[in-house]
């Protein structure tokens, strides 16, 4: 029997017969390790303990202490156990797919009757029975014909379609959890009893089209969350409760910021208060970009498909584009245009006007560009995922030698902006070439090397995300952490050697010859709509004074104070504050409660005592008490606080 060599994290290596399993490797190291083992990593690939190992490599044995592989297995096994529980309760239900997702999993079912909250309780109870049974998990590889015959016999049409989608030559792997069987790539735990029965929860049910295709059957998707222990589950559920309180859609209604309606799906109707936030954020970003050397431009929203074909977006992004057909006068056929889903090709057109010299580079072109992308109705979510949005987009045209400096200056700008907006922490991911891409491997090698060198000059605490780059170049993605620990991917920095070639961008080099510039795609907020949603949730609607749409309300306690209320409002407005009067015939406590629900940061209460003394009673949002200040002191304090962070 042939031998293979396996190396371990401590640097040692051992020889084993080819075909040995990771479970047997663990047993050879220590019986105690074998008992604690849940999976292994072989040359970085997560593998099942039961899979035979045919070739030499580097191996690591995982236990429940290894968070990432443990959570992947726990959540994947819970998906299978949930599907088994559903079919044990309702044998006629058809199963489809059940992938792992953030914090948990989902599984799609074909069932005539809708699942109810009571059903979720029944499923949870059945899952706990399955866990308590400690049923073994086993796996086999079947030939395609046997798998097809099996699922025909089981009357599982969705599984038959999944088999058709498995590429020829790829294994058709089967898993059993007890007697219940599923088509799955794995890996999985070794028995159902390894799942933490007190660390999962089924959360909700939603509709989902089969394979995300609106022309296919509508299924029922059950979502669940799972963790390694009860404490982590409790912390997550507490976070979800807090997130529900902070939901920007709920706060948007309470603060009268925006709304959506069926006549314009995925498009925002901004109300005066919401548009005030938008304009303040845009003005702030415009000042920051101007100081950083960007030149603002504006490009068309409707562009002929010819440009999208040249850029490569038509092939790579066509299904997400809104098409506009125009009957041009005298034309034999309609002219096909598209609402722009991104700004990049249009920015190259601006660059291409007039001959550029190396002395003109780097050239930083910025646009608050209005874009449209088709999102399915099921994927849209308030401001967080829309069809119409505005990007704080910019493209830097530079030489290869300037990439590192531009990356460093962008990171400084991005970090400063995030700090101004209340986000001190952000993580970076370096995403490399995807399977579907434009350009040669030589160009991609050059782009990835340049981007990695650029980020290493500034920071080395980044993760690599293989295969997740844009179709035209590798990228850095920036993830913010909000007040309750959630991550949001917002900013991006992308190195593109391909688009300048496809769209014929050039500059005259120091040698007098023509050269291609490098195009750096970058954004900080990502989209104004989504970022405003993130801001609302991060601050729970209690925005900093400079961003708050209604900064100060001056409320009368008695009607005799109304004239003074108006004078106070005039003084605040003269100082640049967004101030309004509330002289309604309502009690002051009612007014305070109402404006607190509207998240007004400062309320000035005015009674006859304040009128006679020329003072105001200042109450801050969520404060139990108030302070008495002279009108001049109140105006000075509030106007200083209301200054945007870049103007202080």
């Amino acid at each position: 029997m042939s031998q293979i060599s396996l190396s371990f994290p401590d640097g040692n290596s051992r020889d084993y017969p080819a075909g040995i399993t990771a479970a047997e490797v663990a047993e050879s190291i220590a019986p105690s390790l074998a008992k604690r083992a849940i999976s292994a990593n072989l040359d970085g690939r997560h593998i099942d303990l039961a899979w035979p190992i045919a070739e030499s490599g580097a191996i690591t044995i995982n236990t429940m202490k290894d968070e990432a592989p443990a959570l992947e297995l726990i959540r994947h096994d819970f998906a299978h156990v949930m599907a088994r529980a559903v079919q044990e309760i309702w044998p006629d239900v058809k199963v489809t797919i059940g992938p792992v997702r953030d914090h948990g999993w989902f599984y799609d079912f074909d069932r005539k009757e809708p699942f109810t909250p009571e059903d979720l309780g029944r499923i949870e109870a059945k899952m706990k029975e399955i866990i308590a049974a400690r049923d073994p998990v086993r796996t086999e590889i079947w030939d395609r014909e046997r798998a097809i015959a099996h699922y025909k016999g089981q009357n599982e049409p969705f599984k038959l379609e999944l088999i058709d989608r498995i590429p020829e030559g790829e294994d058709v792997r089967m898993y059993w959890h007890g007697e219940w069987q599923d088509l799955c790539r794995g890996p999985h735990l070794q028995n159902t009893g390894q799942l933490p029965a007190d660390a999962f929860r089924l959360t909700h049910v939603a509709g989902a089209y089969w394979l995300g295709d609106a022309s296919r059957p509508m299924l029922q998707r059950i979502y669940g969350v799972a963790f390694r222990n009860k404490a982590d589950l409790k912390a997550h559920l507490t976070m979800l409760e807090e997130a529900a309180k902070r939901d920007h859609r709920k706060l948007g209604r309470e603060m009268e910021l925006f709304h959506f309606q069926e006549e314009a799906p995925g498009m925002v109707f901004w109300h005066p208060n919401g548009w005030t936030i938008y304009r303040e954020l845009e003005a702030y970003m415009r000042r920051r970009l101007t100081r950083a050397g960007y030149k603002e431009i504006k490009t068309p929203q409707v562009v002929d498909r010819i440009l999208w074909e040249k850029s490569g977006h038509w092939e790579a992004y066509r299904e997400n584009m809104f098409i506009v057909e125009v009957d041009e006068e005298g034309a034999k056929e309609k002219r096909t245009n598209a609402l722009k889903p991104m700004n990049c090709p249009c920015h190259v057109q601006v660059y291409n006007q007039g001959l550029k010299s190396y002395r003109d580079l780097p050239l930083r072109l910025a646009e608050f560009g209005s874009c449209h992308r088709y999102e399915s109705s099921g994927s849209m979510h308030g401001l967080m995922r829309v069809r119409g949005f505005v990007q704080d987009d910019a493209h830097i045209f530079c030489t290869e030698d300037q990439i590192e400096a531009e990356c460093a200056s962008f990171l400084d700008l991005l970090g400063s902006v995030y700090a101004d907006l209340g986000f001190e922490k952000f993580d970076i991911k370096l995403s490399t070439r995807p399977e579907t891409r434009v350009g040669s491997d030589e160009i991609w090698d050059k782009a990835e090397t340049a981007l990695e060198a650029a980020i290493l000059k500034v920071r080395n605490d980044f993760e690599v995300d293989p295969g997740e780059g844009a179709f035209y170049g590798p990228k850095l993605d920036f993830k913010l952490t909000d007040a309750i620990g959630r991550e949001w991917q917002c900013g991006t920095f992308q190195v593109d050697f391909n688009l300048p070639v496809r769209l014929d961008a050039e500059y005259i080099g120091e040698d007098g010859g023509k050269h291609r510039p490098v195009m750096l795609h970058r954004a900080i907020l990502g989209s104004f709509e989504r970022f405003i949603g993130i801001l609302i949730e991060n601050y729970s609607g209690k925005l900093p004074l400079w961003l708050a749409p209604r900064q100060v309300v001056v409320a009368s306690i008695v009607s005799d104070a109304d004239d003074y209320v108006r004078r106070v409002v005039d003084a605040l407005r003269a100082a640049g504050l967004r101030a309004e009067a509330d002289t309604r015939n309502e009690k002051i406590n009612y007014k305070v409660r109402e404006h607190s629900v509207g998240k007004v940061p400062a309320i000035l209460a005015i009674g006859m005592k304040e009128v006679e003394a020329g003072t105001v009673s200042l109450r801050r949002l969520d404060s139990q008490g108030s302070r008495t200040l002279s009108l001049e002191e109140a105006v000075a304090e509030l106007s200083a606080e209301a200054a945007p962070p870049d103007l202080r």
Side-chain angles (χ1 to χ4, degrees), residues 535-607:
L535 282 172
I536 292 167
E537 296 200 1
N538 181 66
Y539 286 105
S540 196
K542 302 163 192 173
L543 295 166
L545 193 62
W546 72 277
L547 270 177
R550 302 170 64 210
Q551 293 176 323
V552 190
V553 168
V554 186
S556 59
I557 298 173
V558 294
S559 58
D560 288 346
D562 289 355
D563 287 342
Y564 183 58
V565 166
R566 285 185 277 272
R567 290 203 304 273
V568 172
V569 169
D570 289 342
L572 292 166
R573 288 178 176 172
L577 288 152
R578 294 186 286 277
E580 57 192 82
D582 184 351
T583 56
R584 294 174 299 165
N585 186 25
E586 300 285 357
K587 292 183 177 180
I588 189 64
N589 288 341
Y590 175 86
K591 295 178 181 180
V592 169
R593 281 196 303 273
E594 184 180 82
H595 297 310
S596 295
V597 169
K599 303 297 185 286
V600 178
I603 300 173
L604 303 184
I606 306 294

Side-chain angles (χ1 to χ4, degrees), residues 170-423:
E170 190 172 309
D171 290 341
V172 178
R173 182 173 288 279
M174 301 293 197
Y175 267 92
W176 286 261
H177 288 67
E179 295 303 312
W180 185 85
Q181 180 273 334
D182 201 2
L183 173 72
C184 184
R185 293 176 179 172
H188 280 284
L189 294 168
Q190 302 310 291
N191 66 75
T192 61
Q194 289 179 297
L195 287 170
D198 60 354
F200 82 98
R201 179 75 56 84
L202 302 187
T203 57
H204 63 289
V205 181
Y209 291 111
W210 171 232
L211 299 177
D213 185 344
S215 66
R216 307 298 302 277
M218 173 64 79
L219 307 172
Q220 295 186 68
R221 176 171 293 177
I222 300 180
Y223 288 90
V225 294
F227 297 86
R228 289 183 296 170
N229 54 62
K230 184 177 181 180
D232 287 349
L233 172 66
K234 183 179 179 181
H236 179 74
L237 296 177
T238 300
M239 185 276 289
L240 290 181
E241 291 175 6
E242 182 61 31
K245 297 175 189 174
R246 294 167 177 258
D247 190 320
H248 72 282
R249 296 167 298 179
K250 168 180 171 288
L251 293 169
R253 290 190 296 271
E254 294 174 355
M255 298 170 68
E256 299 179 1
L257 303 179
F258 58 85
H259 82 275
F260 294 88
Q261 62 188 63
E262 286 301 315
E263 290 79 1
M267 311 289 183
V268 186
F269 289 79
W270 289 105
H271 297 199
N273 289 340
W275 193 240
T276 297
I277 299 172
Y278 188 107
R279 287 188 298 107
E280 288 296 326
L281 187 59
E282 182 184 53
Y284 164 80
M285 288 303 302
R286 180 171 282 117
R287 291 190 300 270
R288 295 303 309 267
L289 292 175
T290 299
R291 288 172 194 158
Y294 289 83
K295 297 179 179 180
E296 187 175 342
I297 61 175
K298 193 69 175 175
T299 61
Q301 285 185 254
V302 180
V303 180
D304 195 295
R305 69 176 284 177
I306 292 171
L307 181 60
W308 302 115
E309 287 173 344
K310 287 181 180 178
S311 69
H313 289 91
W314 191 262
E315 181 180 354
Y317 219 78
R318 164 66 184 84
E319 63 184 17
N320 298 102
M321 297 169 75
F322 285 99
I323 305 305
V324 181
E325 291 188 335
V326 179
D327 283 316
E328 295 282 4
E329 186 177 350
K332 293 182 179 179
E333 58 185 31
K334 291 182 179 181
R335 184 171 180 176
T336 304
N337 301 273
L339 286 173
K340 65 177 179 181
M342 61 274 295
N343 305 294
C344 334
C346 293
H347 284 204
V348 180
Q349 306 315 300
V350 174
Y351 174 89
N352 282 348
Q353 298 302 301
L355 193 62
K356 300 295 187 297
S357 161
Y358 70 94
R359 295 186 181 90
D360 299 316
L361 306 183
L363 177 60
R364 307 180 186 101
L365 299 180
E367 178 179 10
F368 298 124
S370 182
C371 298
H372 292 81
R373 298 179 187 175
Y374 174 75
E375 301 283 356
S376 67
S377 58
S379 67
M380 291 186 290
H381 179 75
L383 296 177
M384 302 304 193
R385 194 153 188 176
V386 292
R387 290 179 176 174
F389 59 96
V390 174
Q391 293 178 311
D392 66 319
D393 206 2
H395 294 89
I396 303 168
F397 298 87
C398 66
T399 67
E400 288 185 45
D401 292 341
Q402 293 169 334
I403 293 174
E404 288 185 10
E406 289 304 307
C407 181
S409 62
F410 173 71
L411 284 172
D412 285 343
L413 175 62
L414 175 133
S416 174
V417 168
Y418 285 172
D420 280 352
L421 296 173
F423 301 97

Side-chain angles (χ1 to χ4, degrees), residues 435-461:
E435 285 190 19
T436 303
R437 58 184 183 269
V438 297
S440 66
D441 286 343
E442 181 184 4
I443 287 178
W444 275 89
D445 289 342
K446 186 173 9 175
E448 288 174 348
T449 300
L451 184 55
E452 185 171 6
I455 187 62
L456 283 171
K457 285 282 186 181
V458 184
R459 290 176 56 159
N460 57 13
D461 55 337

Side-chain angles (χ1 to χ4, degrees), residues 4-283:
I4 60 172
S5 177
L6 297 178
S7 59
F8 299 94
D10 62 2
N12 292 320
S13 61
R14 294 187 189 181
D15 291 336
Y16 294 96
I20 191 169
T21 66
E24 292 168 332
V25 172
E27 181 70 36
S28 74
I29 297 170
S32 61
L33 177 62
K35 289 180 181 179
R36 293 182 290 112
I38 57 172
S39 66
N41 284 81
L42 183 66
D43 290 336
R45 183 169 65 97
H46 197 190
I47 67 168
D48 196 296
L49 289 177
W51 294 354
I53 302 171
E55 296 180 353
S56 300
I59 192 170
T60 302
I61 304 298
N62 300 315
T63 70
M64 281 294 180
K65 290 183 178 180
D66 298 298
E67 183 175 21
L71 287 175
E72 179 187 340
L73 290 175
I74 286 169
R75 290 162 181 168
H76 199 173
D77 279 60
F78 265 122
H80 280 219
V81 167
M82 182 181 76
R84 172 182 163 181
V86 167
Q87 288 198 309
E88 287 189 2
I89 300 171
W90 300 282
D92 292 337
V93 172
K94 307 302 179 192
V95 294
T96 63
I97 53 175
V100 172
R101 62 192 294 272
D102 288 346
H103 309 302
W105 76 92
F106 67 76
Y107 209 111
D108 291 345
F109 300 95
D110 185 20
R111 183 185 184 222
K112 292 180 181 179
E113 299 81 15
F115 288 109
T116 66
E118 291 75 23
D119 289 338
L120 296 189
R122 288 184 66 189
I123 297 167
E124 283 189 357
K126 177 61 72 173
M127 291 171 69
K128 289 179 179 178
E129 290 178 14
I130 294 169
I131 293 168
R134 297 185 63 82
D135 286 334
V137 176
R138 61 188 179 88
T139 182
E140 294 178 4
I141 294 175
W142 284 9
D143 62 61
R144 193 174 297 262
E145 290 72 21
R146 182 184 178 189
I148 290 171
H150 172 78
Y151 283 119
K152 281 182 177 178
Q154 294 291 319
N155 190 24
E156 291 284 6
F158 298 100
K159 295 297 182 183
L160 289 170
E161 185 170 344
L162 291 175
I163 291 173
D164 286 340
R165 289 171 172 268
I166 297 174
E168 286 292 337
E170 190 172 309
D171 290 341
V172 178
R173 182 173 288 279
M174 301 293 197
Y175 267 92
W176 286 261
H177 288 67
E179 295 303 312
W180 185 85
Q181 180 273 334
D182 201 2
L183 173 72
C184 184
R185 293 176 179 172
H188 280 284
L189 294 168
Q190 302 310 291
N191 66 75
T192 61
Q194 289 179 297
L195 287 170
D198 60 354
F200 82 98
R201 179 75 56 84
L202 302 187
T203 57
H204 63 289
V205 181
Y209 291 111
W210 171 232
L211 299 177
D213 185 344
S215 66
R216 307 298 302 277
M218 173 64 79
L219 307 172
Q220 295 186 68
R221 176 171 293 177
I222 300 180
Y223 288 90
V225 294
F227 297 86
R228 289 183 296 170
N229 54 62
K230 184 177 181 180
D232 287 349
L233 172 66
K234 183 179 179 181
H236 179 74
L237 296 177
T238 300
M239 185 276 289
L240 290 181
E241 291 175 6
E242 182 61 31
K245 297 175 189 174
R246 294 167 177 258
D247 190 320
H248 72 282
R249 296 167 298 179
K250 168 180 171 288
L251 293 169
R253 290 190 296 271
E254 294 174 355
M255 298 170 68
E256 299 179 1
L257 303 179
F258 58 85
H259 82 275
F260 294 88
Q261 62 188 63
E262 286 301 315
E263 290 79 1
M267 311 289 183
V268 186
F269 289 79
W270 289 105
H271 297 199
N273 289 340
W275 193 240
T276 297
I277 299 172
Y278 188 107
R279 287 188 298 107
E280 288 296 326
L281 187 59
E282 182 184 53

